[in-house]
Amino acid sequence: MSVEYNCILIRFGEIFLKGNNRKYFEDLLINNIKAALKPLKYTFLRSQGRYYVEDFDNADEIIQRLKKVFGIHSVSPALKVKTDKETLFEAAVGMSPMSGKFRVTVKRADKRLPFTSAEMAGNIGGALLRASGGKLKVDLFDHDFDLNVDIRDNGYSYLFYDKIPCAGGLPVGCSGSGMLLLSGGIDSPVAGWLMAKRGVRLHAVHFHSFPYTGEPALQKVKDLAEKLSKYTGQVNLHVVPFTAIQYAIHENCPASFMITIMRRFMMRIAEKIAAKEGCGALITGESLGQVASQTMQSMNVTNSVVKLPVFRPVVAFDKEEIIDIAQKIDTFEISIRPYEDCCTVFLPKNPVIRPKISEAEEYEKALDIDSLVEKAVADTEELIITPMTE
Ligand code: ATP
Ligand code: MG
C-alpha cells in the first residue's frame, strides 16, 4: 500500500518560542526553511503555531532538506482532508494496512466540533475494523501502527503515522555569526556544524600553503564548506595564502614553536576577517589532548592574541564521537581524502606541549607580525559557497 501524502507537517521546539522573541525566531526559521527549499515547487502555510508544506512534486526531497534546517524538531508526511466524518473514515481506510494491531490517536484543536477526540478515535477505529473484515485488532499499548489524526480549526484534518526526527537546535542566525577555522580535517567541519546547531551563522577561513598544498586540498575544503552550507545557508569561505608566514616562522623561530606560532597567526588573521564579516566569535575543531598543540596551555597561548571568544565545541569529545557526527552530517568521506593540510607541511618532530605566552612573544619578536598579517588578509580570496543540489 502506498499513500499519496499531500502535506508535510513541520514541528519546531517550543523552548525558543517563549516570550517576546517568538516572532523574531519564527521569522528566521521560516526564512531558513524557504531558503532550504529553493527552488523546489511547494506552498508554505503557517497556521496556529504550525507550519505545513503542500503542493509539492517531491515529498522525499523536501523532507531531506527540512531535516537539515536547525530549529525543526520533526516532520510528518500527512494526508490533509476536509474535517468531515465520512471523508476522515475513507482517508483512514485508504492509508492503513488492513491487518495487524493498531491504535488511533486523535487531537482536536477545533473544540466546536460535535464530538470529543476519544469519540472520533473510536469512530475511525471502528471504520478501520469494519474495512479490514476482522484482520485488524485494536491495541492501545502494543500496536504495529498508530494512526494520528490532528483535527485543526481551519476545517482540515491531518492524518499521519511517522514523526521523522530532524536536526533540532535553534534557527541559524539567531545566535549571530561565527568564523570557523576550517581545515580539511575531520574535526573542524563538525565543530562548525555544532555551533550552527546553536543558531550561529557560519563563515569560514582556510589557510592554504600553495604550492605545498594544491588544488585537490582546496577542493576538499570547498566541498566541506558546501556540505555545511546545506545546514547553514551561504558560507563565505576565505582562503588565506599562508606559505609566506610559514616560511617566516620556520626561518626565524625555534622548530618546537612552529605550530604554536602558526596557530597564533591563524587566530590573528581569522579575527581580522571575522570583523569584516561581522562575526562575534571564532570556532575551531580542537579537542583537549588530541595532539600536542591542543593542550590547555597551547589553547591559552593561541587565545591570548585575540579578543573574540574562541568556541571549541568538540573540546570534550573523543575522536570516535567526532567521527560519528562527521558521518551523520556527511563530511567524513571528504575529510579523509588523503591531501596534505598546511599544518603537516612544516610539522616539527618535537612540538612544545606546554608553551608559555611569554616564550611565544619572545620568539615572535623576530617577525614583523603586523605586516605579515596585513599582507595575508589583503591577499585573501573570498569564495561564496552555496548548497549544490544533488
Ligand atoms: P581538524 O580535523 O579540524 O583538521 P585536527 O585534529 O587535525 O583538526 P589540527 O590540525 O591541530 O587538528 O587543527 C586544530 C584546529 O585548527 C582545526 O580544527 C581548525 O579549526 C584549525 N586549523 C588547522 N589547520 C587549519 C587550516 N589549514 N585552515 C583553517 N583552520 C585550520
Ligand atoms: Mg587538521
PDB file of all heavy atoms in Angstrom, residues 278-293:
ATOM      1  N   GLY A 278      31.475  40.602  10.306  1.00  0.00           N
ATOM      2  CA  GLY A 278      30.563  40.840  11.436  1.00  0.00           C
ATOM      3  C   GLY A 278      30.381  39.615  12.322  1.00  0.00           C
ATOM      4  O   GLY A 278      29.303  39.405  12.896  1.00  0.00           O
ATOM      5  N   CYS A 279      31.425  38.805  12.443  1.00  0.00           N
ATOM      6  CA  CYS A 279      31.326  37.596  13.274  1.00  0.00           C
ATOM      7  C   CYS A 279      31.696  37.917  14.729  1.00  0.00           C
ATOM      8  O   CYS A 279      32.656  38.644  14.981  1.00  0.00           O
ATOM      9  CB  CYS A 279      32.264  36.500  12.776  1.00  0.00           C
ATOM     10  SG  CYS A 279      31.830  35.895  11.141  1.00  0.00           S
ATOM     11  N   GLY A 280      30.975  37.337  15.662  1.00  0.00           N
ATOM     12  CA  GLY A 280      31.202  37.610  17.071  1.00  0.00           C
ATOM     13  C   GLY A 280      32.040  36.566  17.781  1.00  0.00           C
ATOM     14  O   GLY A 280      32.269  36.672  18.992  1.00  0.00           O
ATOM     15  N   ALA A 281      32.504  35.542  17.057  1.00  0.00           N
ATOM     16  CA  ALA A 281      33.319  34.506  17.703  1.00  0.00           C
ATOM     17  C   ALA A 281      34.133  33.766  16.647  1.00  0.00           C
ATOM     18  O   ALA A 281      33.774  33.771  15.463  1.00  0.00           O
ATOM     19  CB  ALA A 281      32.422  33.508  18.430  1.00  0.00           C
ATOM     20  N   LEU A 282      35.217  33.160  17.116  1.00  0.00           N
ATOM     21  CA  LEU A 282      35.980  32.249  16.263  1.00  0.00           C
ATOM     22  C   LEU A 282      35.611  30.824  16.691  1.00  0.00           C
ATOM     23  O   LEU A 282      35.264  30.596  17.856  1.00  0.00           O
ATOM     24  CB  LEU A 282      37.484  32.470  16.438  1.00  0.00           C
ATOM     25  CG  LEU A 282      37.989  33.903  16.174  1.00  0.00           C
ATOM     26  CD1 LEU A 282      39.497  33.992  16.428  1.00  0.00           C
ATOM     27  CD2 LEU A 282      37.664  34.334  14.744  1.00  0.00           C
ATOM     28  N   ILE A 283      35.691  29.885  15.752  1.00  0.00           N
ATOM     29  CA  ILE A 283      35.334  28.493  16.065  1.00  0.00           C
ATOM     30  C   ILE A 283      36.460  27.589  15.558  1.00  0.00           C
ATOM     31  O   ILE A 283      36.891  27.725  14.411  1.00  0.00           O
ATOM     32  CB  ILE A 283      34.025  28.093  15.349  1.00  0.00           C
ATOM     33  CG1 ILE A 283      32.884  29.040  15.724  1.00  0.00           C
ATOM     34  CG2 ILE A 283      33.650  26.643  15.660  1.00  0.00           C
ATOM     35  CD1 ILE A 283      31.690  28.978  14.770  1.00  0.00           C
ATOM     36  N   THR A 284      36.946  26.697  16.405  1.00  0.00           N
ATOM     37  CA  THR A 284      37.951  25.733  15.943  1.00  0.00           C
ATOM     38  C   THR A 284      37.521  24.313  16.289  1.00  0.00           C
ATOM     39  O   THR A 284      36.627  24.100  17.111  1.00  0.00           O
ATOM     40  CB  THR A 284      39.347  25.965  16.563  1.00  0.00           C
ATOM     41  OG1 THR A 284      39.352  25.407  17.889  1.00  0.00           O
ATOM     42  CG2 THR A 284      39.725  27.421  16.621  1.00  0.00           C
ATOM     43  N   GLY A 285      38.191  23.367  15.666  1.00  0.00           N
ATOM     44  CA  GLY A 285      37.870  21.948  15.890  1.00  0.00           C
ATOM     45  C   GLY A 285      38.831  21.300  16.863  1.00  0.00           C
ATOM     46  O   GLY A 285      39.078  20.097  16.782  1.00  0.00           O
ATOM     47  N   GLU A 286      39.377  22.067  17.787  1.00  0.00           N
ATOM     48  CA  GLU A 286      40.342  21.485  18.724  1.00  0.00           C
ATOM     49  C   GLU A 286      39.649  20.634  19.789  1.00  0.00           C
ATOM     50  O   GLU A 286      38.543  20.942  20.237  1.00  0.00           O
ATOM     51  CB  GLU A 286      41.137  22.598  19.399  1.00  0.00           C
ATOM     52  CG  GLU A 286      42.120  23.250  18.442  1.00  0.00           C
ATOM     53  CD  GLU A 286      42.542  24.627  18.914  1.00  0.00           C
ATOM     54  OE1 GLU A 286      41.673  25.501  19.039  1.00  0.00           O
ATOM     55  OE2 GLU A 286      43.739  24.802  19.162  1.00  0.00           O
ATOM     56  N   SER A 287      40.353  19.591  20.184  1.00  0.00           N
ATOM     57  CA  SER A 287      39.831  18.659  21.186  1.00  0.00           C
ATOM     58  C   SER A 287      40.945  18.451  22.214  1.00  0.00           C
ATOM     59  O   SER A 287      42.084  18.165  21.843  1.00  0.00           O
ATOM     60  CB  SER A 287      39.465  17.367  20.455  1.00  0.00           C
ATOM     61  OG  SER A 287      39.328  16.313  21.346  1.00  0.00           O
ATOM     62  N   LEU A 288      40.611  18.598  23.460  1.00  0.00           N
ATOM     63  CA  LEU A 288      41.649  18.626  24.504  1.00  0.00           C
ATOM     64  C   LEU A 288      42.500  17.356  24.479  1.00  0.00           C
ATOM     65  O   LEU A 288      41.964  16.242  24.521  1.00  0.00           O
ATOM     66  CB  LEU A 288      41.005  18.802  25.883  1.00  0.00           C
ATOM     67  CG  LEU A 288      41.988  19.121  27.013  1.00  0.00           C
ATOM     68  CD1 LEU A 288      42.700  20.443  26.772  1.00  0.00           C
ATOM     69  CD2 LEU A 288      41.282  19.144  28.361  1.00  0.00           C
ATOM     70  N   GLY A 289      43.812  17.567  24.387  1.00  0.00           N
ATOM     71  CA  GLY A 289      44.739  16.435  24.478  1.00  0.00           C
ATOM     72  C   GLY A 289      44.874  15.611  23.219  1.00  0.00           C
ATOM     73  O   GLY A 289      45.603  14.626  23.185  1.00  0.00           O
ATOM     74  N   GLN A 290      44.174  16.015  22.135  1.00  0.00           N
ATOM     75  CA  GLN A 290      44.232  15.180  20.926  1.00  0.00           C
ATOM     76  C   GLN A 290      45.637  15.151  20.327  1.00  0.00           C
ATOM     77  O   GLN A 290      46.124  14.106  19.922  1.00  0.00           O
ATOM     78  CB  GLN A 290      43.223  15.693  19.902  1.00  0.00           C
ATOM     79  CG  GLN A 290      42.847  14.658  18.862  1.00  0.00           C
ATOM     80  CD  GLN A 290      41.956  15.248  17.775  1.00  0.00           C
ATOM     81  OE1 GLN A 290      42.429  15.940  16.880  1.00  0.00           O
ATOM     82  NE2 GLN A 290      40.677  14.984  17.855  1.00  0.00           N
ATOM     83  N   VAL A 291      46.275  16.299  20.258  1.00  0.00           N
ATOM     84  CA  VAL A 291      47.671  16.395  19.810  1.00  0.00           C
ATOM     85  C   VAL A 291      48.362  17.454  20.665  1.00  0.00           C
ATOM     86  O   VAL A 291      47.715  18.157  21.447  1.00  0.00           O
ATOM     87  CB  VAL A 291      47.780  16.796  18.314  1.00  0.00           C
ATOM     88  CG1 VAL A 291      47.325  15.682  17.393  1.00  0.00           C
ATOM     89  CG2 VAL A 291      46.997  18.061  18.019  1.00  0.00           C
ATOM     90  N   ALA A 292      49.692  17.589  20.470  1.00  0.00           N
ATOM     91  CA  ALA A 292      50.482  18.487  21.321  1.00  0.00           C
ATOM     92  C   ALA A 292      49.952  19.917  21.304  1.00  0.00           C
ATOM     93  O   ALA A 292      49.995  20.618  22.316  1.00  0.00           O
ATOM     94  CB  ALA A 292      51.929  18.469  20.871  1.00  0.00           C
ATOM     95  N   SER A 293      49.438  20.350  20.145  1.00  0.00           N
ATOM     96  CA  SER A 293      49.000  21.747  20.055  1.00  0.00           C
ATOM     97  C   SER A 293      47.620  21.949  20.670  1.00  0.00           C
ATOM     98  O   SER A 293      47.071  23.039  20.614  1.00  0.00           O
ATOM     99  CB  SER A 293      48.986  22.183  18.599  1.00  0.00           C
ATOM    100  OG  SER A 293      48.117  21.348  17.878  1.00  0.00           O
TER     101      SER A 293
END
